[in-house]
């Protein structure tokens, strides 16, 4: 976990931490996650509508369906959705918890072996 998130987690687990504050933090996190899921649902519905309506207007196998304009909204909005997901779930989604600490230890161990060999 990042330093800030680790500190927040430790404070969250501390029994001296105010229960009202713990509730507020949990409530805000749930609202952020819910906001992301609503965003993802709207993304799927709107882009499905755009793609299906374009497909219905064009003849099957037509070049009209495979134009840039058909998929550009989904692409750019998808990039925004990815950024929203990373802001909600954090970078731990890809690197896992304590990734930085494990990597630093790994590099330190490599340097230690190289100096003594």
């Amino acid at each position: 976990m990042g330093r800030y998130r680790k500190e927040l987690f430790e404070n969250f687990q501390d029994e001296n931490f105010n229960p009202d504050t713990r509730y507020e933090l949990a409530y805000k996190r749930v609202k952020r996650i819910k906001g992301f899921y609503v965003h993802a649902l709207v993304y799927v519905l709107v882009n499905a509508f755009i793609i299906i309506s374009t497909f219905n207007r064009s003849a099957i196998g037509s070049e009209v369906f495979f134009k840039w304009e058909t998929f550009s909204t989904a692409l750019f909005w998808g990039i925004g959705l990815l950024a929203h997901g990373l802001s909600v779930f954090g970078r731990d989604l890809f690197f896992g918890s304590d990734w930085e600490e494990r990597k630093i230890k790994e590099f330190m161990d490599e340097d230690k072996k190289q100096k003594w060999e």
Side-chain angles (χ1 to χ4, degrees):
M1 280 187 224
R3 187 178 314 157
Y4 171 73
R5 293 181 75 186
K6 191 173 189 177
E7 183 178 308
L8 182 63
F9 181 74
E10 288 170 356
N11 288 339
F12 190 73
Q13 296 295 328
D14 187 8
E15 292 180 16
N16 297 328
F17 205 54
N18 184 352
D20 292 336
T21 306
R22 290 175 59 195
Y23 176 81
E24 286 179 34
L25 290 172
Y27 179 79
K28 286 179 183 179
R29 180 148 189 216
V30 167
K31 291 298 266 184
R32 288 176 48 124
I33 292 170
K34 182 180 176 184
F36 172 75
Y37 287 139
V38 168
H39 186 184
L41 178 66
V42 171
Y43 169 82
V44 168
L45 293 175
V46 169
N47 286 297
F49 176 78
I50 291 170
I51 292 171
I52 290 170
S53 66
T54 303
F55 181 75
N56 287 336
R57 280 185 279 145
S58 65
I60 295 176
S62 172
E63 293 179 11
V64 173
F65 180 72
F66 294 104
K67 282 190 167 185
W68 165 252
E69 291 84 9
T70 305
F71 301 100
S72 62
T73 302
L75 175 69
F76 292 117
W77 192 352
I79 293 169
L81 183 63
L82 177 67
H84 187 182
L86 289 175
S87 75
V88 170
F89 297 108
R91 63 190 179 119
D92 290 343
L93 182 67
F94 295 112
F95 294 112
S97 61
D98 298 331
W99 178 83
E100 288 179 356
E101 287 83 7
R102 285 186 283 129
K103 213 55 172 162
I104 289 170
K105 187 176 185 312
E106 179 183 322
F107 288 142
M108 289 173 63
D109 290 343
E110 284 179 14
D111 287 344
K112 190 176 184 180
K113 287 179 185 176
Q114 288 178 357
K115 289 181 181 177
W116 296 104
E117 289 181 359

